[in-house]
Amino acid sequence: MDLKNKVVLITGTSTGIGRAAALAFAKKGAKLALVSRNKEKNNQLMGEIHASGGTSIFIPTDVSDLGNVKHAIAETLNRYGRLDIAINNAGIEGTPRVKAADYDIEVWDRLMDVNLKGVWLCIKYQLQTMMQNGGGRIINISSLAGLRGGDAGVAYHASKFGVIGLTKTIALEYADKNIRVNAICPAVIETPMAERAFSDPVRMKDAINMHPVGRFGRVNEVVGAIMWLASSDADFITGAAIPVDGGAGV
């Protein structure tokens, strides 16, 4: 893929999909801006990237905070001079299996701040930079929970549906600026978040059975879709919400 020397900003790189995506882009020769909260884990990630000959910086960031987001974009530009690709992956799970009437307002607010407002804030400043560069690619990580209802918790579903709404609207607004905006919608992927959600063996079995292929997804399978959308092979695709779900949404 044509990713060598592309500047790639990824949010939520401490674990899971974000971490795997950073390693994969670095392997292709991209220059990484790691935008996340956990300093220790991201320093470890930078060490892996640099040991393999890659280039990266870590910018401690809470994506729900306007000042943090503006600083992250400014630091990326200060180091690399441009931004070509952004993967908005940072997110939290809230409280699954709590029904709407019982859902805690503080949990709702925090989840919306990170999962929806955080994505919008990042896109807002990513767009400004990409327009100066003549274009770019934005990939937002939504979820199967953004395509259908379920028991992941009302705030989680609402936030992930919202990410798809952001994706489609912004894709239309900036299509003529050579900025392509798409979303990936994973089902259950083998990540620390999934381990927390399905620690109970019975729930684990039920969750696996939800996937017609008979297993959870793997991070590399999501990363493959992300990297394809980031490449010129996907130039004619914008506003899409692409399931990576082992048939769970069929």
Side-chain angles (χ1 to χ4, degrees):
M1 292 183 180
D2 55 335
L3 299 172
K4 187 173 178 59
N5 292 321
K6 296 292 187 182
V7 177
V8 182
L9 182 153
I10 307 175
T11 70
T13 50
S14 298
T15 62
I17 293 168
R19 186 181 194 281
L23 290 169
F25 275 100
K27 187 176 180 180
K28 292 291 185 181
K31 300 174 181 179
L32 276 297
L34 311 176
V35 175
S36 194
R37 291 186 295 176
N38 191 305
K39 182 177 181 180
E40 180 180 356
K41 289 183 178 180
N42 280 277
N43 281 339
Q44 292 173 356
L45 176 56
M46 281 198 301
E48 291 183 48
I49 291 171
H50 297 169
S52 64
T55 302
S56 67
I57 56 171
F58 169 54
I59 311 166
T61 305
D62 178 348
V63 297
S64 70
D65 182 273
L66 173 60
N68 277 208
V69 171
K70 292 174 73 173
H71 174 72
I73 300 297
E75 284 296 298
T76 301
L77 293 177
N78 183 55
R79 174 63 182 270
Y80 298 125
R82 60 186 293 116
L83 175 61
D84 301 301
I85 298 161
I87 293 92
N88 296 308
N89 165 73
I92 56 177
E93 65 262 45
T95 47
R97 301 179 299 283
V98 176
K99 292 185 178 180
D102 302 314
Y103 209 88
D104 186 86
I105 293 173
E106 291 183 359
V107 175
W108 169 282
D109 286 344
R110 179 58 183 160
L111 197 143
M112 287 295 180
D113 277 350
V114 174
N115 289 11
L116 188 55
K117 177 186 172 184
V119 173
W120 170 66
L121 285 177
C122 288
I123 293 173
K124 178 180 175 66
Y125 293 99
Q126 291 159 3
L127 286 168
Q128 294 175 16
T129 300
M130 288 177 177
M131 282 190 291
Q132 294 174 3
N133 296 341
R137 302 291 178 268
I138 296 174
I139 298 130
N140 302 318
I141 306 304
S142 179
S143 170
L144 180 62
L147 295 171
R148 70 178 201 182
D151 65 355
V154 63
Y156 189 80
H157 283 277
S159 69
K160 293 301 185 178
F161 269 87
V163 168
I164 294 174
L166 283 176
T167 298
K168 290 183 176 293
T169 300
I170 296 167
L172 289 174
E173 290 178 345
Y174 292 89
D176 64 346
K177 303 297 184 185
N178 192 34
I179 297 174
R180 304 291 177 257
V181 188
N182 293 288
I184 297 288
C185 302
V188 183
I189 307 299
E190 294 174 347
T191 64
M193 184 183 288
E195 291 174 8
R196 291 191 297 271
F198 302 105
S199 57
D200 176 78
V202 175
R203 280 196 53 78
M204 173 76 76
K205 183 179 179 180
D206 289 344
I208 291 173
N209 290 339
M210 181 182 78
H211 302 75
V213 300
R215 63 172 174 84
F216 290 164
R218 303 182 181 105
V219 289
N220 66 291
E221 293 167 327
V222 181
V223 170
I226 291 170
M227 294 183 74
W228 174 67
L229 284 175
S231 76
S232 60
D233 291 340
D235 276 354
F236 202 56
I237 299 172
T238 196
I242 299 176
V244 181
D245 64 6
V250 175

